[in-house]
Amino acid sequence: MTGTAPAMKFQSTASYVATEDLQMAVNAAVTLQKPLLVKGEPGTGKTMLAEQIADSLGLKLVAWHIKSTTRAQQGLYEYDAVSRLRDSQLGDDRVHDIGNYILKGKLWQAFESEEQVVLLIDEIDKADIEFPNDLLLELDKMEFHVYETQTQIKAKHRPIVIITSNNEKELPDAFLRRCFFHYIQFPDRNTLQDIVQVHYPDIKSELLSHALDVFFDVRKVQGLKKKPSTSELIDWLKLLMSDDLPESVFQDKDASKAIPPLYGALLKNEQDVHLLEKLAFMHRAKRS
């Protein structure tokens, strides 16, 4: 197995704005040959990061999206005993080679690649608490054993491993020790402007400015169950642009009008809508 990292460094791409500290974290993980564990609010671009790293470095992406039912073994391989039994009953000659019933997982696909790839393990905290520990050896040594065929699978090229987490569960200390960690801070106003410009280069500056005022005001509201994220801002702006709303919608700073236009793109549950409506009602009551 070769462990050399790409000569070029990860940078922002035409469709992704990476802050300087995020670029440093990615390149540090590549240099150390450690998995990069990325945390942050949902909607801050953690999954997209892996896609953009692959794009920036000119590498293939192998993505493993984790669910609550996902087992670590599935990332290595699965033995399809049911199909082998069926074929044996039908007299199929395939049954004589057990290798025909070994289904390669995402790690195996990344390990056998003739070129270095980016391996994304997305939302690792969705799985069982033992899931990260079950991958310790494989991610550390970049190899695993296939018991059915008695073969050892070793990575031809050490993949760049990106692991995302939404902090739904605490990850084991032994797993954390093997990772390089980075928390994606929520973007400041200037960074958000840059991100929006990437998606909508022709957006009117006045619309963007007013929309960001409203967006950050909503995020500041105490007690929100889910603060609107970057991805929701992008969706909201798309609606605002398509509806061509007048600027007067944003110029009214009256707190009694606490619900932003087309709020369904920003607020994702009825509790938060009711909270803003309650704040608007309380403000009107104070003024009356």
Side-chain angles (χ1 to χ4, degrees):
M1 177 183 69
T2 60
T4 56
M8 65 181 296
K9 297 290 186 181
F10 169 65
Q11 298 175 333
S12 295
T13 68
S15 56
Y16 190 87
V17 177
T19 59
E20 185 176 347
D21 60 336
L22 178 56
Q23 294 178 41
M24 290 178 62
V26 171
N27 292 319
V30 171
T31 300
L32 294 174
Q33 298 185 353
K34 287 179 175 286
L36 175 63
L37 174 60
V38 183
K39 293 186 179 183
E41 286 185 33
T44 49
K46 299 186 297 297
T47 301
M48 189 181 294
L49 172 64
E51 300 169 0
Q52 297 306 316
I53 291 173
D55 183 50
S56 173
L57 301 180
L59 304 178
K60 176 185 174 183
L61 174 69
V62 177
W64 186 18
H65 300 288
I66 308 303
K67 301 178 181 178
S68 60
T69 56
T70 303
R71 295 177 292 106
Q73 180 64 32
Q74 293 172 308
L76 308 179
Y77 70 92
E78 292 185 275
Y79 169 48
D80 190 356
V82 174
S83 292
R84 192 181 190 201
L85 175 60
R86 183 194 62 235
D87 288 347
S88 67
Q89 293 171 337
L90 296 174
D92 195 320
D93 288 340
R94 283 167 42 88
V95 299
H96 301 300
D97 182 0
I98 196 172
N100 291 325
Y101 304 94
I102 300 296
L103 308 177
K104 298 177 182 180
K106 296 296 185 179
L107 267 71
W108 191 332
Q109 294 173 29
F111 286 5
E112 74 175 358
S113 174
E114 294 297 333
E115 298 179 347
Q116 187 180 40
V117 302
V118 175
L119 172 62
L120 168 65
I121 304 178
D122 194 30
E123 297 189 327
I124 194 172
D125 52 323
K126 280 189 174 180
D128 183 83
I129 187 63
E130 291 302 321
F131 181 93
N133 280 337
D134 290 342
L135 290 175
L136 284 180
L137 180 62
E138 289 77 12
L139 291 178
D140 195 26
K141 301 296 184 181
M142 288 291 158
E143 62 180 274
F144 63 89
H145 189 70
V146 182
Y147 295 96
E148 288 78 5
T149 59
Q150 291 299 305
T151 55
Q152 195 75 5
I153 304 300
K154 296 184 179 181
K156 297 179 180 179
H157 302 273
R158 178 178 286 269
I160 298 172
V161 182
I162 309 299
I163 303 172
T164 72
S165 169
N166 286 326
N167 259 346
E168 292 183 11
K169 295 188 186 79
E170 288 294 328
L171 299 176
D173 288 344
F175 180 80
L176 294 175
R177 285 197 299 271
R178 288 166 168 80
C179 297
F180 188 92
F181 173 75
H182 181 74
Y183 185 88
I184 297 182
Q185 299 287 348
F186 193 83
D188 58 23
R189 189 183 181 99
N190 290 335
T191 303
L192 269 183
Q193 286 179 329
D194 292 340
I195 292 172
V196 171
Q197 291 289 345
V198 165
H199 290 270
Y200 309 124
D202 298 326
I203 190 171
K204 296 179 181 178
S205 58
E206 295 83 4
L207 171 62
L208 177 57
S209 178
H210 293 316
L212 286 177
D213 288 342
V214 174
F215 176 77
F216 279 109
D217 284 345
V218 172
R219 280 187 56 88
K220 290 176 185 176
V221 173
Q222 295 295 319
L224 281 182
K225 186 175 181 180
K226 184 189 182 306
K227 295 181 179 181
S229 67
T230 306
S231 62
E232 286 149 355
L233 171 65
I234 298 301
D235 290 343
W236 186 50
L237 285 171
K238 182 178 182 179
L239 291 175
L240 295 178
M241 293 169 64
S242 64
D243 278 30
D244 197 22
L245 295 177
E247 291 183 21
S248 59
V249 171
F250 300 104
Q251 290 171 347
D252 189 348
K253 297 296 185 180
D254 187 350
S256 67
K257 297 179 175 59
I259 303 295
L262 301 168
Y263 67 83
L266 294 177
L267 304 176
K268 298 302 182 179
N269 58 75
E270 64 277 10
Q271 294 98 316
D272 289 347
V273 175
H274 293 160
L275 175 59
L276 290 191
E277 289 175 339
K278 181 180 179 181
L279 292 175
F281 174 80
M282 292 172 62
H283 183 84
R284 287 194 296 267
K286 286 182 181 178
R287 294 181 61 183
S288 60

